[in-house]
């Protein structure tokens, strides 16, 4: 199965919700049951399993169809922003991880900096909506039962941050943001070495 989020902040969005695809007929039938109160399409109001109501409305789906028609442009617009950041901040950006069979897209442009919290604070002080990335998954209370050592995840979770990324972000603003990132990194100093670098 593949899953897609169409949350409001994604490159392709329906405001909220998402979709799942599969080439397995049995899984598809189960998903159709789950999204619609556990009712089969063949037997209305007969509940085969305990389902939920995850149906997308036609109104929302119409937005999604419009988005998919603009898919190439929407993805290209975000990639332009990401590539520009990459040019301006080569030291903070890692190469795009992309399988040979895939085409890259970009959700939010992510950089890695020493003393991330201080850098984020400085950028926010300059009116830039920079955000630290999420904590490593094993630090989430819901996954507290997971044991193990995850040094790479922890190093990245402690050093990575998102820069503003949306298709209409103008080049002069990207330049402004990149200049402030460079200045902030210089100002706050080197911090601890990144062990995974
Ligand atoms: C959007 C997103 C999610 C959440 O998707 P939902 O549709 O809100 O459930 C989770 N992880 C990543 C990396 C995402 O980009």
């Amino acid at each position: 199965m593949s899953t897609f989020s169409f949350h409001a902040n994604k490159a392709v969005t329906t405001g909220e919700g998402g979709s799942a695809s599969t080439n397995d007929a049995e899984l598809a039938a189960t998903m159709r049951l789950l999204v619609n109160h556990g009712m089969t399409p063949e037997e209305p109001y007969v509940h085969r399993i305990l389902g939920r109501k995850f149906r997308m409305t036609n109104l929302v789906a119409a937005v999604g169809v419009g988005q998919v028609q603009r898919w190439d442009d929407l993805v290209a617009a975000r990639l332009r922003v990401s590539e520009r950041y990459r040019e301006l901040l080569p030291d903070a950006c890692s190469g795009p991880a992309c399988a040979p069979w895939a085409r890259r897209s970009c959700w939010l442009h992510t950089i890695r900096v020493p003393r991330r919290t201080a850098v984020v604070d400085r950028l926010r002080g300059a009116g830039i909506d920079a955000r630290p990335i999420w904590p490593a998954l094993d630090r989430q209370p819901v996954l507290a039962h997971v044991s193990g050592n995850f040094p790479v995840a922890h190093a990245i979770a402690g050093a990575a941050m998102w820069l503003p990324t949306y298709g209409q972000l103008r080049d002069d603003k990207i330049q402004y943001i990149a200049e402030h990132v460079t200045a902030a990194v210089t100002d706050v100093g080197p911090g601890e070495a990144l062990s995974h670098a």
Side-chain angles (χ1 to χ4, degrees):
M1 278 173 58
S2 302
T3 59
F4 303 86
S5 172
F6 298 144
H7 178 73
N9 67 12
K10 309 302 183 181
V12 171
T13 180
T14 57
E16 187 51 277
S19 72
S21 63
T22 177
N23 57 6
D24 181 315
E26 209 172 309
L27 278 177
T30 304
M31 286 196 287
R32 290 202 175 95
L33 273 181
L34 284 169
V35 298
N36 197 21
H37 299 302
M39 294 189 285
T40 62
E42 295 77 33
E43 297 173 291
Y45 308 108
V46 175
H47 300 266
R48 294 277 153 204
I49 60 170
L50 188 61
R52 296 284 190 276
K53 188 162 123 179
F54 293 143
R55 299 182 305 238
M56 180 180 272
T57 66
N58 286 334
L59 279 174
V60 164
V63 173
V65 169
Q67 288 272 291
V68 167
Q69 286 166 352
R70 297 171 54 213
W71 185 294
D72 286 338
D73 292 342
L74 293 169
V75 170
R78 285 210 185 202
L79 273 180
R80 174 192 63 86
V81 175
S82 177
E83 290 306 328
R84 193 80 185 105
Y85 278 135
R86 197 181 294 284
E87 285 163 25
L88 295 169
L89 298 166
D91 295 341
C93 302
S94 49
C98 191
W101 48 263
R103 272 194 303 156
R104 194 165 92 83
S105 76
C106 178
W107 175 48
L108 297 177
H109 187 80
T110 312
I111 63 170
R112 205 172 59 189
V113 294
R115 301 202 55 210
R116 190 259 321 267
T117 306
V119 171
V120 168
D121 285 349
R122 294 217 162 209
L123 293 175
R124 296 189 75 88
I128 296 165
D129 188 7
R131 302 184 190 187
I133 69 162
W134 298 304
L137 281 180
D138 68 299
R139 295 273 161 90
Q140 296 287 358
V142 68
L143 294 174
H145 58 282
V146 174
S147 59
N149 264 328
F150 308 103
V152 176
H154 291 166
I156 293 172
M161 54 181 280
W162 290 304
L163 296 178
T165 311
Y166 54 95
Q168 299 82 1
L169 188 57
R170 291 199 324 252
D171 210 63
D172 57 317
K173 298 243 168 137
I174 300 173
Q175 193 111 22
Y176 173 87
I177 294 163
E179 277 164 17
H180 278 78
V181 170
T182 305
V185 168
T186 310
D187 283 358
V188 304
E192 286 167 40
L194 297 172
S195 55
H196 64 287

